[in-house]
Amino acid sequence: MALQRLACFGDSLFAGYGLPAARALPARLEALLRADGRELRALNLGISGETSADGLRRLDDVLANSPRATLLEFGANDCHQLVPPEETEGNLAAMATGLRRTGSAVLLVGVRALPWVDEAYGREFQALFPRLSARLGLPLYPDILEPYFGDPALTLPDGLHPNALGVEAMTASLLPWVEALLDGPA
């Protein structure tokens, strides 16, 4: 079986902010998938601080890796910067469409609105992920923050990013979704 590439395309949550590269989510996900006998390389294409607009600018670089599947994870920085939700949705749609056009299966990775944003903005922001999933027929992992956010034992001192234990919680939660993505059609 040929080595499959899994693109982990996103922001600091994939980049492994504050952690050694071997403790970042892509490396941990690759280790679990390989332990299950999958010939796979998880590419860490996360860059801390990026918004969906930044990701869209990097899309050609991601496509050059010819990923079999892609975890598309942007939004936390958009929310933090109060980027209009329709702009975030448009950027994510353009990235997902570009990825699928080249044969990559896509898992849309959602993120909840950050607790300090205005309630109306938060509702609009959170609604973009299920709406985009339905519109494009993409599987949606609902909330990348859910496995660790708010638990001091699972976060770095900043209270925002996962520590190594938080990454393990995220990886375990994502694993069945990634397996289904890899087993399904591109």
Side-chain angles (χ1 to χ4, degrees), residues 11-61:
D11 56 31
S12 60
L13 298 173
F14 280 1
Y17 176 85
L19 300 172
R23 303 305 281 166
L25 189 141
R28 299 306 306 137
L29 196 53
E30 179 178 315
L32 289 178
L33 291 164
R34 284 182 173 256
D36 283 345
R38 293 181 186 264
E39 293 294 320
L40 179 129
R41 173 84 172 105
L43 307 173
N44 188 336
L45 302 172
I47 297 181
S48 293
E50 282 204 337
T51 65
S52 62
D54 298 317
L56 184 56
R57 283 190 283 279
R58 284 196 300 128
L59 181 61
D60 287 342
D61 294 336

Side-chain angles (χ1 to χ4, degrees), residues 2-186:
L3 185 70
Q4 294 181 332
R5 287 186 189 105
L6 172 65
C8 298
F9 183 29
D11 56 31
S12 60
L13 298 173
F14 280 1
Y17 176 85
L19 300 172
R23 303 305 281 166
L25 189 141
R28 299 306 306 137
L29 196 53
E30 179 178 315
L32 289 178
L33 291 164
R34 284 182 173 256
D36 283 345
R38 293 181 186 264
E39 293 294 320
L40 179 129
R41 173 84 172 105
L43 307 173
N44 188 336
L45 302 172
I47 297 181
S48 293
E50 282 204 337
T51 65
S52 62
D54 298 317
L56 184 56
R57 283 190 283 279
R58 284 196 300 128
L59 181 61
D60 287 342
D61 294 336
V62 174
L63 296 175
N65 288 288
S66 303
R68 156 72 178 87
T70 302
L71 308 183
L72 182 59
E73 178 271 317
F74 287 96
N77 293 310
D78 293 65
C79 184
H80 179 67
Q81 296 177 23
L82 301 178
V83 172
E86 60 275 10
E87 184 178 320
T88 302
E89 185 173 350
N91 292 334
L92 287 167
M95 286 185 274
T97 300
L99 288 159
R100 290 171 83 186
R101 191 175 296 127
T102 63
S104 185
V106 177
L107 174 63
L108 181 61
V109 178
V111 62
R112 75 176 73 166
L114 299 171
W116 53 84
V117 300
D118 171 82
E119 188 177 324
Y121 176 89
R123 276 194 309 274
E124 287 180 48
F125 178 80
Q126 284 183 195
L128 80 86
F129 293 99
R131 183 173 54 241
L132 182 59
S133 170
R135 183 165 57 99
L136 297 182
L138 296 173
L140 171 64
Y141 177 80
D143 180 13
I144 191 69
L145 302 180
E146 192 278 325
Y148 81 91
F149 197 79
D151 185 341
L154 301 179
T155 57
L156 292 175
D158 67 7
L160 301 174
H161 293 93
N163 62 20
L165 292 174
V167 169
E168 293 300 325
M170 292 165 64
T171 304
S173 182
L174 264 172
L175 184 63
W177 294 80
V178 174
E179 290 173 328
L181 184 71
L182 292 169
D183 291 340

